[in-house]
Amino acid sequence: MCSCNNLYLCIIMRLSPYICELLSQRCKRAIRRSADCEFLTLDIETVTGEHIGVNTMKRLLGFIEDERQPRMSTLDVIAQYLGYDHWETLRVHDEEHSNSDFDENRDEVLVSSLKVGQHVVVSYLPNRRVTMAYMGDNRFRVIESINSKLLAEDVLTLTHLVRNYPMLVSGVVREGQSLGAFTAGKAQGIDFELL
């Protein structure tokens, strides 16, 4: 059980895609590489007068895998940078935007519309790239995996791909063994290319 008195803080290890987008808009720069995190932390310090470590920001944006929880003071600085009084106010605003919203311009591919044998390349931060071939019945075989926990020959089951949203894999089978569900691109979502 979490010893923290704020459950939302206990489960956050990465900022939501919505907050990441707000940060990109505020600093007027897409945050896609480590150097972008350095730029962002400098801009946060310039605007707020408060320092956030580059590695902390990399963890919050998903560039570094780490289970450590952020300090509330760090989250408050991020909220202040984005024009909110404190983290709780930003969190409520984030939930309003993240939990339900209409998105007419969402770039989405239904897996069932693909042709058997068609290749898809999925990329996500930091430096992860998975090439897979469609097998039919919402299943893919991984052909190549770079810096991902997925391995070549894994079989994935998923129903759709949505640009800038996480890839939700309902099942991964490796060498005949079910590994369960898998989520790629939790922090800032995925990009994909149909070949």
Side-chain angles (χ1 to χ4, degrees):
M1 182 113 199
C2 180
S3 60
C4 172
N5 54 5
N6 183 337
L7 183 58
Y8 189 83
L9 178 60
C10 288
I11 60 174
I12 182 175
M13 288 177 257
R14 294 183 180 167
L15 298 174
S16 73
Y18 177 72
I19 293 177
C20 292
E21 180 60 28
L22 290 178
L23 288 169
S24 291
Q25 290 172 6
R26 177 69 169 96
C27 74
K28 296 181 175 82
R29 183 175 187 155
I31 304 168
R32 295 190 176 134
R33 301 181 318 258
S34 293
D36 299 324
C37 292
E38 293 168 16
F39 178 86
L40 176 61
T41 56
L42 288 173
D43 198 46
I44 289 172
E45 189 167 355
T46 300
V47 170
T48 66
E50 299 288 336
H51 176 76
I52 295 178
V54 173
N55 284 338
T56 297
M57 189 56 67
K58 287 179 182 179
R59 277 196 308 275
L60 289 171
L61 294 171
F63 288 95
I64 296 175
E65 295 287 333
D66 195 326
E67 299 298 314
R68 285 183 280 179
Q69 299 296 327
R71 293 185 179 141
M72 183 56 79
S73 59
T74 299
L75 297 174
D76 281 340
V77 170
I78 291 170
Q80 290 165 11
Y81 175 69
L82 293 174
Y84 295 85
D85 292 333
H86 46 77
W87 174 252
E88 188 63 23
T89 307
L90 175 58
R91 182 191 67 78
V92 169
H93 188 75
D94 177 37
E95 284 184 352
E96 290 171 356
H97 277 72
S98 299
N99 286 341
S100 59
D101 199 6
F102 292 106
D103 188 353
E104 296 175 0
N105 300 317
R106 190 161 90 167
D107 188 0
E108 179 176 8
V109 171
L110 294 177
V111 169
S112 60
S113 70
L114 299 176
K115 295 178 182 171
V116 172
Q118 187 169 5
H119 288 195
V120 178
V121 178
V122 174
S123 56
Y124 52 101
L125 296 175
N127 270 349
R128 302 201 192 318
R129 182 179 167 99
V130 178
T131 304
M132 49 196 188
Y134 186 54
M135 301 168 62
D137 296 323
N138 293 334
R139 294 181 309 134
F140 288 91
R141 181 176 54 84
V142 175
I143 296 170
E144 179 184 47
S145 177
I146 300 171
N147 299 320
S148 171
K149 292 180 182 178
L150 297 171
L151 301 178
E153 301 303 320
D154 284 353
V155 176
L156 316 179
T157 302
L158 61 144
T159 58
H160 59 279
L161 297 166
V162 184
R163 198 175 313 278
N164 300 321
Y165 286 83
M167 179 174 74
L168 305 175
V169 178
S170 60
V172 177
V173 176
R174 180 175 295 157
E175 297 177 353
Q177 298 264 339
S178 174
L179 301 180
F182 178 78
T183 304
K186 289 179 185 176
Q188 294 183 326
I190 64 161
D191 194 6
F192 63 86
E193 180 182 2
L194 304 177
L195 305 178

